[in-house]
């Protein structure tokens, strides 16, 4: 089993079920927090069937996203999040704050500020309300993703402020190229093709008996986001990740034969530039 977008508490049941039934389990897009959910993390580590998690470095992601805004001249930054307590959002928020702190330390005469988060839930309506609340107090919303992001964009468009407010977020929109072109998005991180791919390869090799000895271990597989902040950036992503896949069938077979350390290295190295070079360009 590979499981997506799981909360830490949900993993308690998932791990027990897999232990009881002798079924291998890996996560993608999420990792159990060793700090905030120490008992659940330990259960995962103790399990002979829980393999590990494939996930992004969210603090680094938040810092990269806020730097897109800072580089575009934005100094009054509002934050929209999904739900309180979401581990991914908390990590990303840590990165936003770190980026603003580093900017302010280096530019004391040109300081930036970051709001406390407005919570949007997981709906477009929630995103609209959160953006409207931010616009009433501060001029620039950022963060969110999915339906809340769509709602935030719509709220900015209704207010006639598309050219005045820069929005960055995570998880590529289906029309991101157009939105980067018209200015309704200033930048986005995403391109998560390999999270489920690497998690699949881990479980596949466990089933085949190629990866063993999971009890007492927690395989933490960090995967880099792809970042786009212009229509040209997105065109390069689209060429190597949408119009064609970043790996050929032969390359996928080769990947399936890698040991776990080499698989982790392959995950770490994926990028637009890497996909282009393997395509011969």
């Amino acid at each position: 089993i590979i499981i997506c977008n799981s909360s830490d508490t949900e993993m308690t049941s998932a791990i027990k079920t897999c232990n009881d039934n002798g079924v291998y389990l890996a996560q993608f897009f999420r990792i159990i927090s060793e700090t905030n959910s120490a008992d659940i993390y330990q259960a995962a580590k103790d399990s002979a069937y829980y393999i590990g998690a494939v996930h992004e470095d969210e603090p680094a992601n938040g810092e990269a996203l806020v730097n897109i805004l800072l580089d575009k001249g934005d100094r009054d930054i509002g934050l929209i999040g999904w739900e309180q307590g979401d581990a991914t959002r908390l990590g990303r928020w840590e990165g936003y704050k770190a980026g603003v702190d580093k900017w302010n330390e280096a530019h004391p005469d040109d300081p930036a500020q970051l709001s406390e988060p407005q919570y949007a839930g997981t709906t477009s309506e929630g995103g609209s309300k959160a953006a409207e609340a931010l616009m009433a107090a501060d001029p620039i919303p950022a963060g969110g993703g999915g339906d809340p992001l769509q709602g935030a964009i719509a709220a900015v468009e209704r207010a006639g402020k598309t050219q005045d407010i820069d929005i960055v977020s995570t998880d590529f929109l289906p029309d991101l190229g157009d939105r980067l072109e018209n200015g309704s998005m200033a930048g986005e991180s995403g391109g998560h093709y390999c999270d489920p791919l690497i998690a699949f390869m881990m479980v596949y090799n466990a089933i085949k008996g190629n990866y063993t000895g999971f009890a007492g271990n927690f395989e933490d597989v960090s995967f880099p986001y792809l970042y786009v902040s212009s229509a040209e950036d997105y065109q390069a992503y689209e060429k190597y990740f949408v119009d064609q896949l970043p790996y050929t069938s032969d390359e996928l077979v080769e990947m399936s034969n890698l040991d776990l350390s080499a698989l982790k290295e392959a995950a770490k190295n994926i990028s637009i530039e890497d996909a282009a070079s393997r395509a011969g360009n």
Side-chain angles (χ1 to χ4, degrees):
I1 293 173
I2 57 175
I3 186 167
C4 166
N5 276 358
S6 48
S7 71
D8 287 359
T9 52
E10 288 170 327
M11 292 307 296
T12 303
S13 174
I15 292 165
K16 182 180 184 305
T17 300
C18 287
N19 288 345
D20 290 346
N21 291 277
V23 174
Y24 292 109
L25 172 67
Q27 292 175 271
F28 66 96
F29 295 163
R30 291 290 188 274
I31 184 170
I32 300 167
S33 172
E34 187 174 5
T35 303
N36 299 327
S37 305
D39 54 339
I40 304 173
Y41 186 92
Q42 189 62 47
K45 190 174 180 179
D46 292 341
S47 171
Y49 292 96
Y50 178 89
I51 303 170
V54 185
H55 66 104
E56 283 76 16
D57 183 338
E58 291 300 348
N61 178 38
E63 188 167 339
L65 288 172
V66 85
N67 281 332
I68 291 174
L69 293 175
L70 293 168
D71 290 344
K72 289 179 180 289
D74 301 318
R75 301 291 180 266
D76 196 1
I77 301 168
L79 180 61
I80 297 174
W82 278 9
E83 306 283 359
Q84 296 191 47
D86 178 81
T88 295
R89 186 197 62 76
L90 290 170
R92 205 171 295 165
W93 187 16
E94 180 184 326
Y96 284 130
K97 290 186 286 189
V100 169
D101 288 345
K102 288 178 183 178
W103 174 270
N104 288 341
E105 184 176 346
H107 305 87
D109 298 328
D110 185 23
Q113 62 179 357
L114 177 69
S115 79
E116 292 295 308
Q118 291 280 338
Y119 294 104
T122 56
T123 67
S124 178
E125 181 184 4
S128 287
K129 289 180 177 178
E132 288 164 357
L134 280 174
M135 284 188 288
D138 295 297
I140 300 171
D147 287 342
L149 172 61
Q150 299 277 19
I153 292 171
V156 172
E157 289 175 338
R158 285 196 302 270
K161 295 184 176 182
T162 296
Q163 301 308 314
D164 304 319
I165 292 177
D166 291 329
I167 302 176
V168 298
S169 185
T170 296
D171 298 342
F172 287 169
L173 293 166
D175 58 351
L176 179 56
D178 294 337
R179 292 201 172 278
L180 289 165
E181 187 80 49
N182 66 27
S184 57
M185 284 295 295
E188 197 157 20
S189 59
H192 306 47
Y193 172 82
C194 286
D195 287 63
L197 172 64
I198 299 300
F200 169 82
M201 291 293 184
M202 289 161 64
V203 172
Y204 169 82
N205 274 292
I207 293 168
K208 297 285 284 185
N210 299 326
Y211 296 173
T212 58
F214 302 117
N217 295 315
F218 190 119
E219 298 296 344
D220 181 350
V221 185
S222 182
F223 180 76
Y225 274 116
L226 307 180
Y227 294 90
V228 297
S229 57
S230 69
E232 291 74 24
D233 289 346
Y234 186 77
Q235 286 169 4
Y237 164 76
E238 193 169 42
K239 181 175 182 179
Y240 297 109
F241 284 79
V242 179
D243 296 339
Q244 65 187 57
L245 294 178
Y247 293 102
T248 65
S249 296
D250 287 344
E251 287 172 329
L252 291 174
V253 171
E254 290 174 11
M255 184 182 289
S256 73
N257 292 318
L258 297 175
D259 63 24
L260 191 52
S261 62
L263 184 68
K264 288 183 178 181
E265 190 68 20
K268 184 176 70 176
N269 290 333
I270 186 63
S271 66
I272 295 171
E273 293 76 17
D274 171 64
S277 68
R278 284 186 288 99
N281 297 309

